[in-house]
Amino acid sequence: MIHDVISAVYKGEYHIELEFDDGKKGTIDFSTYLDKGGVFDRFKDMDFFRTFSVNEELGTLTWSDEIDIAPAKATGLGFPAWMKAEEQSIANKSIKTDRENSAAF
């Protein structure tokens, strides 16, 4: 189960301490997002980075309605198993033809 962020406190540099609706707290170093590019390039502007707020409806951190992040890793528990990427999705697996399947017997 992913818990909602209920409060966030800026702790300096790219660190934000979060409290979740289950009472757990954790601090995330958001500097890891700097290399992701795209919308996260905005984090390079520290004034922008410090403008985060908690979206109470979504239970996430948001920045100017442009970026929202559900930072479950702050508690050290990470994301639930069902959210982790599989080693290889079914779309990427090769599908054997009937001829290949019959050759295996």
Side-chain angles (χ1 to χ4, degrees):
M1 170 180 233
I2 297 177
H3 291 279
D4 290 343
V5 175
I6 60 169
S7 71
V9 178
Y10 179 69
K11 292 295 188 178
E13 296 181 7
Y14 286 97
H15 297 97
I16 300 175
E17 181 183 76
L18 304 173
E19 182 177 357
F20 294 85
D21 62 0
D22 65 350
K24 292 185 178 172
K25 290 183 179 182
T27 299
I28 288 186
D29 179 4
F30 282 89
S31 67
T32 60
Y33 285 82
L34 297 174
D35 295 332
K36 294 187 183 288
V39 296
F40 297 112
D41 279 342
R42 298 285 314 270
F43 284 0
K44 293 176 183 176
D45 176 357
M46 190 56 76
D47 290 331
F48 175 81
F49 178 77
R50 289 190 297 250
T51 65
F52 66 87
S53 63
V54 174
N55 181 316
E56 293 176 12
E57 184 177 332
L58 299 175
T60 62
L61 285 182
T62 61
W63 285 263
S64 303
D65 293 329
E66 294 178 47
I67 302 170
D68 67 68
I69 298 175
K73 72 177 187 175
T75 61
L77 299 176
F79 292 102
W82 62 267
M83 291 187 69
K84 293 182 182 173
E86 295 179 17
E87 288 182 20
Q88 187 177 31
S89 74
I90 187 105
N92 293 329
K93 291 182 180 176
S94 62
I95 299 173
K96 292 184 178 181
T97 64
D98 287 339
R99 176 178 280 188
E100 290 171 315
N101 283 332
S102 64
F105 293 103

